[in-house]
Amino acid sequence: IDGAVYGSFPTLTQLIPVYDEDIILAVGKLRGSDDGVNTNLSFIITQYPDQWNLLAQKEKLTPEELYGAFMCYTDPNNTPSDQPPCDKDEREHVITEVRLWASMRMQTVVRTIHGAVLYHKALAVLAGLPGINNAGKSPVQLMLSHQTFGGRQAAAAERDIKWILWKWLDQNICVCVNYDRDGARPDSGLRAKVESFMSSTSQSSGGTHSAHSGSPAATSASNGFKFASVLIGYSKVLEDDGWKVLHVLPRLFPLRIGKGAFQTQGKSANQKHALLFCKGHVLQMMDANMGAWMGEAFKVPFVMRQMLDPRGDRRKSACRILGFRETIFTREHSAVGEAMAGSEWTFGTIFQRTLDYLGVRMHYGHPDFMDGFWASNRGSTSKASPSLNVSEDMCAGLNLWLRKERSKHSDLLEWEKGREVDFIASSVFFAKISSGASSFLRTRDLFMICENMSLFRQMSFFYGSAGFFLNNAIVDISVMIYVSIFLCLALASVSIADLTLLESPLATEWLLPVGAVTILPQFFELCLEYGPIEGAARLLPRMLPTTIFFVFQNKVVAQSFTNAVLTGFSTYRGTGRPNANKPSTWLQIYRTYANSHFYSALVVLFIYNIQSVMMPGDTSGASTSSSASLPMYMIIFIAAIWLLSPTLFSPQPQPSTVWNNIIEFGSFLVGLPSQKVSRTELKPLQLVGGKGEGEIPERQPGDKNANMFRRLLALVSGTIKKFVSPRTFLVRSAFEAEPKTLYEHWLKISFRDHPWIENFADPGQLGPLILNLFCNLAVFWIVTAMMYAQLLDITVQAFGFFLCVHALLVTIWTATNRSNIIGSLVLLWWLPLPFLIPYIVPHLAPPTVTFAEIQLSGLAFILAMRVVRPASLLASQVALRSVTWFLTSPRCVRLGGGHVDAAVAVRVAKGVYGNVTELVYLLGCEFHVHVYAGVLIFTANLCLQVALMLVEVITGLHSLVFLNPRLAGGWFRAVLRQRDEASNAARMGRAAESAKRGARASVAQI
């Protein structure tokens, strides 16, 4: 690359950052099973059956023999008796070939490298064209920036990287690794080779400096540096174990700076330290799940010329970032993969082309081309600020706009890329980009950019950045507002007939969502590229699953964006990219979506049910019934999607899967913590007095100097020590493991939502709690202001009585060391409330009060508890702060109480606050609301998955639509088997006919 003649086309460095992605799929992963039905290898085979047949022909085996050979090599002693024993070389050859075949069809690093190397081969073909003179050097460099090479957990990846260096030793491939002297694994040899390289370099330079270090302090191996960026390459020397050190750049700081949540972004830091070794004029920013074709590789040098100044001035550039199209090779893996591929294709083609036309395109990901010299001198290729630059790629676009440069899009080139094919993984991806868009709005760069933009350019810029996410948040909020309006109308005795007389649009049923028009750009683009018939054939079969998918995922986008705006916090989230055949358990689904989707769906259905029953009839005297309200088909459809989509998209429902989900999720729901649950042990309260440390002094018999304050202090001390004791409540300052019961799950969230306020003067800590309290109070006031008196009587009398008995049961439960019998009574106590109302409030016996009115009273009670809980916790914090301040003040010493260490007092106050949080969690019925909602969610998932299981077992339709036709069972499996047999017979017939024609031609020539 150093000797290339610049001008004909720019030199290129392809940069691939890697952390813990799969280099080559491991044997154990291919032989394992994510779904409990098929091995991962057999799932990949069903995606590409023809290509598996070609591999079997290459190995001179049948497809079944090749699969059996790979699987039987798990243990040579377990070779089936009907197969001959295999020697070591044959076994390793088959394993290697199958691993590579599977890896080249999944989202792996080796697929990305293979696609990048195609450009190297294309240049070798183009080398004879006039105007290109590489002078024996390669004008392209492939840089693999591996963040964990030589570390504690990268042993398997290191072997694969050595194989890659050997496989493409004729290409200009090198690996940039992060060297940490203390974290390097001894058997990796990284530390020894780095020290040997620095020692030899220091000796060759006279002991004054080391190559590429730039620091005299780095020359001594004995006083060596701790951190460095190291470039390694292939070595033919046997003693080098396949690789050697090429360059070392010592660093003063580690790769990621900071601690905890304030640690810099790993991917951005990985790109930054690899940028030091990049030599190309242009950088191709790649991900570790990409690929390419040979035909596209030939286009690369001609597309890169679009970055050059058209007049040939090397001091100028037509653009600093050049993007191009992407095709998603995981499209056929599942219905989720199809939806994600359509989304990525729309965004990477139609949307990018539009942004380029508007002149507001930035840097939205990979594999964009970027001006290497410009990026290395102006803030790298991305930004690494924690919780602010979550969408680190987009922040390179901010650098571009701040310097009034341009980013363009080209339709001449198309690269392969993988996307998430699992439902939960896709939700994590959307949550990441949504929270990243929220943090993007808080950047100082955006503020400075908008200060220098015209109004119309700002509108285009908003469309190209955060507009989509803000629009989804507004639409999500509007659904709840829509059903709440009808609840208020029902309470105000306003009927649909009254709305019709007022010509209000609320009297019209909402049938066609406005968002349906967003399908038109994709349809027109498909028609342009494939024609109207094939475009419709590609779009229509997947329209219903894709619609369901994005109705659900748009809720993820809205919820993540809203939470990030309200909390001011966002973080990077890795998706893991699991296989499409990995089913999600009900417990995983509940933990992921309960707060964002399931509760919203239940609230919408709950409000709809109340308003549909309570909506008054028309003026003609029609009776009050559900026909008096709007059907709200779209609202019910949306709520059903929020509630059932994760189970619907979970692949391959089997009887064993349903049974395991019932056992696991049922245990999670009804499980209550016992004394065996691990807790945070709290030490006794300590004093620091004149005679040393000791416990709070209690009054001893015969103590004549004991005054009233000491007696009161001793009483408070005994109460605190008993209250702080872990035998009373489940005190957890931090949950180290994932909660195993619903009780602990929501208690952990309660601790997170109502934390101990370290500084009351900090509005960032106190403000959210007060805002939450006043929002809950406003909602409670609006609902109760519209309720008539008898509903308030039910709320106050019936629910108040049950709350008193509930408090008594909770006290007995904790006093009896969490007895299972009392715990069951605590859980079941609220269920008979509707049947006992006539005995508690006699004048409200049915039919005076309907079940819908009881539900509405329950809603008022729940809203009242939502006000009481934060108010109680806030008041407890104020009281504990006051006691802590008094115990640590000089006044306490003057009164004879001794001096209390401030840190100890705060620690005990936090422990008491933890117990108060759990007490409010129990007495405020928060736990019971979650349990009853969990039962409804459990019932809905059970009914749906049993139905899907029957459909799958009988017909195989579920796998046909949502996963893979070749994995379908039942009737479709028989149909597909007959079709494959007919296809194979026809292919064999054509082959036989072709052989006969060839034989006749040979005879004729003779």
Side-chain angles (χ1 to χ4, degrees), residues 583-636:
S584 301
T585 65
W586 296 352
L587 183 55
Q588 292 174 335
I589 292 172
Y590 180 84
R591 286 173 172 167
T592 307
Y593 301 115
N595 212 16
S596 59
H597 290 71
F598 294 163
Y599 281 15
S600 297
L602 292 178
V603 169
V604 168
L605 294 176
F606 182 73
I607 295 177
Y608 169 77
N609 176 60
I610 294 177
Q611 69 86 23
S612 62
V613 174
M614 299 190 64
M615 182 72 72
D618 55 26
T619 55
S620 62
S623 59
T624 301
S625 63
S626 58
S627 61
S629 63
L630 289 179
M632 296 189 186
Y633 297 119
M634 287 302 304
I635 295 296
I636 297 176

Side-chain angles (χ1 to χ4, degrees), residues 147-208:
Q147 188 173 339
T148 59
F149 185 93
R152 304 293 184 187
Q153 302 176 353
E158 290 170 20
R159 293 192 296 268
D160 295 337
I161 289 175
K162 295 174 188 177
W163 184 90
I164 287 173
L165 292 175
W166 168 81
K167 174 70 175 178
W168 289 288
L169 59 92
D170 296 332
Q171 311 299 333
N172 191 4
I173 300 178
C174 50
V175 181
C176 178
V177 302
N178 173 42
Y179 171 71
D180 185 347
R181 184 181 59 194
D182 298 336
R185 201 176 65 259
D187 62 333
S188 67
L190 179 61
R191 178 173 179 177
K193 290 188 178 184
V194 169
E195 291 180 352
S196 175
F197 175 84
M198 296 302 295
S199 177
S200 61
T201 307
S202 176
Q203 293 175 4
S204 64
S205 59
T208 58

